[in-house]
Amino acid sequence: MFAMNSGMSNDLFSVAPATVADIPALCRLAEATWWHCYRGMISDEQIRFMLAWMYEPERLRSEMADGVDWLLLCRAGATAPVGFAAWSGTGRGREARLHKLYVHPGHQRRGGAKALLDSVYRRAADAGYRRLSLTVNRHNRTALQCYQRAGFHPCGTQVRDIGGGFVMDDYILARPLAAD
């Protein structure tokens, strides 16, 4: 389970690696954040489809086994996670990809996303990666502003058929990682 002292922390948050035992918490957080974030941006049917597809417990186990680094965000002094991120190498040179970053709506705008991003930057740079990319829904203004404040810049677009009659319509953003 989540170990508060095994990762990065600041005054308000602690970030630590997620394990298979944390999958139920990841799924609960995804459910809470997705409905808040995407309702009105994509259809309720697409939200249900994507939650079932992307957060199926066996899929998360497989991602963890295949090297996707899942991180949990916890409020200082608490044990229940309030956010998460997932990242991995892309297989294209020294580029890593941020797959997911979500903070529970009741804990947003307090530095949690920054704590998660800082942890991903450090871990990816320590692993030898020099660039971090991500995709974000073109209509997700809140996330776009967050990523732009964090130094990400647009470098493309992507429309991807994900099945079920749904597509992901995203911007591709990237930022360099420190070379220290």
Side-chain angles (χ1 to χ4, degrees), residues 33-118:
T33 59
W34 272 62
W35 287 105
H36 176 81
C37 175
Y38 293 112
R39 184 165 254 163
M41 196 179 306
I42 58 177
S43 70
D44 287 1
E45 293 79 16
Q46 184 166 351
I47 293 170
R48 279 190 283 280
F49 176 85
M50 291 180 73
L51 281 169
W53 168 54
M54 295 173 76
Y55 295 95
E56 192 278 319
E58 190 52 44
R59 179 185 178 116
L60 300 185
R61 273 186 212 88
S62 177
E63 287 180 3
M64 288 177 179
D66 290 343
V68 174
D69 188 15
W70 283 81
L71 302 170
L72 287 175
L73 176 75
C74 193
R75 293 283 299 188
T79 57
V82 297
F84 63 89
W87 73 277
S88 69
T90 62
R92 293 186 307 268
R94 296 169 76 176
E95 182 175 330
R97 180 168 186 261
L98 180 66
H99 301 284
K100 298 168 179 54
L101 189 145
Y102 293 97
V103 176
H104 187 279
H107 299 276
Q108 291 177 358
R109 299 186 185 274
R110 297 182 184 152
K114 182 180 182 332
L116 283 166
L117 282 170
D118 286 348

